[in-house]
Amino acid sequence: MLMSKHKKNQAGGNRILISVTVVGSAGPIRFVVNEKELVDFVINIALKSYAREGRLPVLGSNVNDFVLYCPVIGTEALKAWEMIGSFGVRNFMLCKKPKTVVDGGDDGGKTVAVGISRKSSGSWKAWFNKSLNLKVSSH
């Protein structure tokens, strides 16, 4: 029986512990995946873990709205079909994809990337107090 488990691990690849930091969240999410899993699968697992832990801000569950970066490798997003173990690193960043809109200006229309906007309603202290008020329940 021990031999069959060992062969199964060899066929499926090694399992690795990775850390995914979500932009705007308090800390990284850590979980174990097979090194041969695709980036798309890792994003899905990260979103599910994030939601299960009840973290803020709420992200949603659509894998296509997010990209995974490896800050050590470069500034380009990882391709969805690449294997997570092929990069040789264990730390990643999960970000929402920038939204694009078509600008119908004077030149007939061009695609413009719109960054993730923050609704600034004051300082970080106001945001912190507001988030505390959401968690405190009154009797």
Side-chain angles (χ1 to χ4, degrees), residues 32-52:
V32 177
V33 294
N34 189 311
E35 68 182 359
K36 293 185 179 184
E37 294 293 351
L38 302 180
V39 169
D40 206 22
F41 176 80
V42 172
I43 292 173
N44 187 29
I45 295 295
L47 290 174
K48 286 180 181 178
S49 297
Y50 186 90
R52 186 175 38 250

Side-chain angles (χ1 to χ4, degrees), residues 74-129:
T75 58
E76 238 180 84
L78 305 178
K79 307 289 187 269
W81 58 86
E82 293 177 309
M83 288 188 299
I84 199 70
S86 66
F87 305 107
V89 295
R90 305 293 183 253
N91 298 319
F92 301 93
M93 287 189 73
L94 183 67
C95 305
K96 273 202 166 197
K97 284 183 183 176
K99 296 179 181 176
T100 56
V101 295
V102 176
D103 181 21
D106 298 334
D107 58 351
K110 60 181 178 179
T111 304
V112 179
V114 178
I116 301 169
S117 63
R118 282 188 176 171
K119 295 179 183 176
S120 61
S121 61
S123 67
W124 67 271
K125 290 179 185 178
W127 172 84
F128 183 73
N129 288 333

